[in-house]
Amino acid sequence: LKSLLPHSTINQQHKQILQKLIQEETTPLSDQELSSLLEHQGIKLARRTVAKYRKQLNLSSACHRKQIV
């Protein structure tokens, strides 16, 4: 499937899934925990990539999301 889709399309899909995970979390998850959840869904992203995508989506880190909740 990866070979059929442009790289930017795959990245956008990963960002959408990440955003959905963060919106649906009951307690703020760290970038490592989000990376693990994505891996269970078949998406292998490093913690630093999750952090990069989260920042591009203008989403706060787990410690800042705790303060908002």
Side-chain angles (χ1 to χ4, degrees):
L1 180 64
K2 284 185 180 182
S3 62
L4 300 176
L5 296 173
H7 191 65
S8 61
T9 302
I10 293 170
N11 290 349
Q12 283 302 114
Q13 290 174 344
H14 292 169
K15 287 178 189 178
Q16 290 173 350
I17 294 168
L18 177 63
Q19 187 170 25
K20 185 178 178 190
L21 284 174
I22 291 174
Q23 289 173 344
E24 294 177 351
E25 64 188 8
T26 54
T27 58
L29 301 170
S30 69
D31 293 336
Q32 183 62 52
E33 292 168 323
L34 290 166
S35 178
S36 294
L37 281 176
L38 289 167
E39 192 168 352
H40 288 304
Q41 295 182 14
I43 301 168
K44 187 162 177 61
L45 292 178
R47 178 210 48 84
R48 63 182 180 268
T49 305
V50 170
K52 179 176 90 172
Y53 288 174
R54 180 180 46 73
K55 288 177 186 175
Q56 289 174 353
L57 293 167
N58 294 319
L59 299 170
S60 303
S61 64
C63 63
H64 289 118
R65 292 194 311 270
K66 282 182 188 177
Q67 295 171 359
I68 296 170
V69 174

